[in-house]
Amino acid sequence: VYSVEPFDPANPANFFRALANDECPQSLVAADHQAIYLLKYLDDVAAATMVIEPEYVDGDYLEDYAAFYVACFHPYDRFCKRIHFFKKKFSRAYFRRRMTGAFDTIEYENFAKSYLGFIVVRPLPQAIIGRTELATYGDDGGRRKYTAIRRYDVSLFGMPLEVESMAFQEQDRVVAACATVALWSCFQKTSTLFGTPSPRPPRVTADATQSMFAKRALPSDGLSSAQICSAIRHNGLEPELFVVPALASEVPLVSLLYGYLSYGLPLLVIASIEGYTQQNHAFTLNGFSIVPTYQGVEILLPPDPVTKAEKTAPIFTGSHISELYAHDDQIGPFAHLFVDPPTLPGQGCTFRGDWTVPGALKQAKITPLHIIVPAYKKIRLSYIDAYKVVTQIRLVVEKMLLRNNVDLSKSEWDLRLTDTNRYKDEVGRARTLPSKRAEFLLSYPQPRYFWQCTLTLFGFRVAEFLIDATEFQKSNPLFCVNYFHDHLRDVFFSDLNPLPTNVRFTPALKEVLLTEYQRTKSLKSR
Amino acid sequence: MYQVTEAPEAALRSLSPLGDTDPDCAAHLSERLERELEAVDRLQDAARVTPEDLRLHVSM
C-alpha cells in the first residue's frame, strides 16, 4: 500500500524513515552522508510531498541482484522502495483523485508539472541509494547549464510523469565501484545523444574487466583508466583520454571541459582528493555555471625566455566558468565543484566541493588527473586537435592586435563541439550574417560534427572558425570562416596574407583562411 | 553561450591594416609569431598518453 507524506526538511524523520529498510535502520540512514545530502538537495529544489511505493521492481537493482546478491547465503530482498517527490503540497485524497481521474485535465497537468523525480531505495545494509532521477537546481538567471541531462519518462501507478535529469546511484562496492557508477551515468546521456547502449552496472563492470583482470571482477575493487576506456569502447563509443598534468601548462582545462559539456557530452573525471592518499576517485561532470565576469586565469605562463616580459595566456570561455556540476556517488547528484585557478606556472586548475580533508574541517582540494570523454566514433578530432588549429589562427589575430597596441585581454575565444543540425538552427535563428552567406551555410552539406570557434573582440563577436571534427590529425580540418565585421576581416587579412611559409603554420590552413576571406568579401551586407 | 550583439564600431574601426604600421614593429611581431608557433608542437606532447597513464587505478 502506497503512502503520501509531507517532505519537511525541518523534521526529516519522515524522509529518513522512507529511506530505511530491514537491513538499514532509520538511525543509520540519519547518519548517512548521501541521505543528508539528498535531504538538503530536495529542500533546495523545493520538494513538499513524498509518494512512497513500498514494493518496486527496479531493473538496475534486479541485475545487481541476479549478478551477485542472489548467490549470497543471507536472503537479500529483491524488491526496492521508490520515493517520488513533488513541489506541490497535497494529501492522500488529492493524490487518489489524480490517480483515478483523467490525465488530460489542467489539474493533472499542474500536478505533473510539480514532479521532481524519484529515489529508488535498495534493500541493502549500506549503499541504499539506488537509481535516482531528480530534477536539477533552477538555472539562476541562466548561469547554470545542466547540459548532460535528458528526459526520463516515469510511470507512477500508471500516471505519466517526466523529469529532466541524469540518473545517479551510490556505489555498492559489490557490482559497482565509483568508476562503474560514473560510467553508468555517462552512458545514460550518450545513449540519447548517439543511440548507443546504456548498460546497467554489472554489465559495465563486465565490459571493463573483460580483457584485463588480475583478480575477480565482483566484488568490484575499482577500475583502471584502461578498463574504463575498455567499457566505453564495448558500448559503441571511443574513449578520448586527457592526462591533465601533462596539458596543464598548454591547454585551458576548464575550457576543454566546457568544449564537450556545452554539446551535452558528459565527462568522466579521475581525481585525487586531498587527504586520501594512494586512492583516486571518479565522478561524472554534467553541467557548469557560466557568468559574464572574469573568474581567473586557466593557464599561468612563465615569463618570455627571450624578453623576460610577463606573458598572458589567451582567454577562453573557461575563464567565465565559476562552478562545475557532477554526479559524485560519494556525495550526491549535481554536486557543486568550485573552480580554483592555478597559483604557479605549470599547475592546472583544481576544484573544491563537498569533500573535506579527513580529521580537519576544511574543504579538500580535488586535483583532476584524467579526463575521459565517451565520444561518438565520428568525433575524431579532439578538443586539443581543434585547439591546435585555433592556436595558429589566434597567433595571427594577436599579432594584429599587438601591432595596433590593443591589450590581448580584449580578445576572447570560445571553442566548443557542435553538429550540423544545431549549427544550422543557430544560423537560421540569429540572422546576423549577410543573407547570401546564411543561405550558403544553410543549404550546403557540412560535416556531421565540428568544432565551432568564436572570436570576440571588445566583448563582441567578430568571427567564427569551423573545424571539421570528423577529419584526422594530419588533415586540414578548417572548412569555413564567418566574419561578422567587414573592417576586422580586412585587417586580419592584411596580417595573414604576407605571412611567410612556415612549417608550423599549416600551409593549407592559410589557404582556407584566404579563400574564405575572398568568398565572404564578395558578399554584400544584408 | 555568448551574447550576440552589434560590434563596437569605433574600437574595431581603429584597427589599422598591416601596411599602415611601422615595418620594424611588424617584423618584430613576425619573430614573436615564429616563437609562439612552437606552442603548437608542445600541444602534440600534451596529448600523448603513455601505458603508465592507463594503469591509473580508481578505487574510492
Side-chain angles (χ1 to χ4, degrees), chain A residues 322-334:
Chain A
S322 53
E323 291 171 42
L324 295 158
Y325 304 116
H327 271 14
D328 183 332
D329 82 285
Q330 298 207 23
I331 302 290
F334 304 112

Side-chain angles (χ1 to χ4, degrees), chain A residues 173 178 222-226 250 258 280 330 370 388 395 403-404 460-461 485 487 494 499 502 504, chain B residues 1-2 5-6 8-9 12 15-16 18 21 33-34 37 41-42 44 53-54 56-60:
Chain A
R173 296 215 67 129
C178 65
L223 302 173
S224 67
S225 275
E250 302 296 337
Y258 159 84
N280 298 311
Q330 298 207 23
H370 286 184
K388 266 194 285 195
L395 291 170
R403 195 170 53 68
N404 279 282
F460 301 94
R461 179 169 70 160
H485 194 275
H487 181 66
S494 77
L499 272 187
N502 187 315
R504 293 196 179 93
Chain B
M1 298 297 171
Y2 46 81
T5 45
E6 291 301 313
E9 279 303 310
L12 288 170
L15 297 173
S16 315
L18 181 61
T21 52
L33 178 70
E34 173 68 25
L37 278 171
D41 293 346
R42 290 202 301 271
Q44 200 68 49
D53 291 325
L54 290 170
L56 185 75
H57 193 71
V58 187
S59 58
M60 268 172 75

Side-chain angles (χ1 to χ4, degrees), chain A residues 298-318:
Chain A
E298 292 188 81
I299 305 172
L300 261 185
L301 296 175
D304 188 296
V306 178
T307 63
K308 306 291 175 205
E310 205 165 279
K311 281 166 66 181
T312 320
I315 300 175
F316 276 71
T317 306

Side-chain angles (χ1 to χ4, degrees), chain A residues 367-378:
Chain A
T367 307
L369 301 172
H370 286 184
I371 310 289
I372 304 179
V373 186
Y376 188 59
K377 61 187 175 186
K378 277 191 189 170

Side-chain angles (χ1 to χ4, degrees), chain A residues 4-296:
Chain A
V4 177
E5 296 183 24
F7 175 83
D8 179 8
N11 180 19
N14 277 5
F15 177 65
F16 291 142
R17 189 166 49 248
L19 290 179
N21 62 50
D22 293 344
E23 308 280 345
C24 184
Q26 189 179 333
S27 56
L28 278 184
V29 173
D32 182 80
H33 289 303
Q34 282 89 341
I36 294 166
Y37 176 93
L38 286 167
L39 178 76
K40 185 175 179 309
Y41 184 88
L42 287 159
D43 182 28
D44 289 343
V45 295
T49 308
M50 301 187 285
V51 177
I52 302 160
E53 286 181 84
E55 278 205 340
Y56 175 71
V57 179
D58 181 62
D60 281 85
Y61 174 70
L62 209 56
E63 275 207 28
D64 295 359
Y65 185 83
F68 189 83
Y69 297 107
V70 70
C72 292
F73 178 69
H74 182 79
Y76 288 104
D77 199 346
R78 66 189 181 90
F79 289 100
C80 298
K81 274 199 266 188
R82 187 160 69 151
I83 315 171
H84 302 265
F85 300 89
F86 293 83
K87 274 187 184 174
K88 193 176 176 67
K89 262 190 185 165
F90 56 78
S91 63
R92 187 186 169 91
Y94 171 90
F95 180 74
R96 192 173 173 277
R97 281 200 299 278
R98 295 289 74 74
M99 185 165 53
T100 54
F103 296 158
D104 57 355
T105 62
I106 290 176
E107 206 156 23
Y108 182 82
E109 206 175 291
N110 289 337
F111 163 76
K113 265 189 194 158
S114 85
Y115 187 60
L116 290 168
F118 65 81
I119 299 173
V120 168
V121 184
R122 293 188 287 224
L124 299 174
Q126 288 179 45
I128 52 172
I129 307 298
R131 187 162 55 100
T132 295
E133 293 167 9
L134 291 176
T136 63
Y137 292 106
D139 68 0
D140 193 21
R143 77 174 174 91
R144 291 197 191 115
K145 314 271 186 197
Y146 295 97
T147 51
I149 58 172
R150 49 167 276 199
R151 196 182 86 173
Y152 290 94
D153 292 317
V154 180
S155 174
L156 170 56
F157 305 139
M159 288 182 282
L161 299 167
E162 62 181 57
V163 63
E164 293 276 338
S165 186
M166 173 188 259
F168 166 87
Q169 66 171 290
E170 191 181 350
Q171 60 169 304
D172 64 356
R173 296 215 67 129
V174 173
V175 297
C178 65
T180 302
V181 169
L183 277 167
W184 173 79
S185 287
C186 282
F187 291 145
Q188 295 281 315
K189 174 66 182 183
T190 51
S191 66
T192 59
L193 267 181
F194 307 123
T196 47
S198 178
R200 289 176 165 143
R203 185 71 251 160
V204 175
T205 304
D207 289 341
T209 53
Q210 255 182 21
S211 56
M212 278 172 256
F213 50 86
K215 50 187 162 183
R216 57 172 61 244
L218 300 180
S220 175
D221 181 36
L223 302 173
S224 67
S225 275
Q227 289 173 320
I228 292 169
C229 291
S230 169
I232 290 172
R233 188 163 279 171
H234 267 95
N235 286 284
L237 299 163
E238 291 295 339
E240 195 75 69
L241 193 156
F242 300 105
V243 180
V244 179
L247 57 82
S249 55
E250 302 296 337
V251 181
L253 174 68
V254 181
S255 294
L256 182 150
L257 303 173
Y258 159 84
Y260 289 101
L261 279 172
S262 60
Y263 183 66
L265 250 179
L267 305 171
L268 192 144
V269 178
I270 300 176
S272 68
I273 296 177
E274 186 183 357
Y276 296 83
T277 49
Q278 297 178 336
Q279 290 184 86
N280 298 311
H281 183 47
F283 48 84
T284 308
L285 292 180
N286 46 32
F288 53 88
S289 160
I290 189 162
V291 290
T293 51
Y294 181 67
Q295 297 295 298

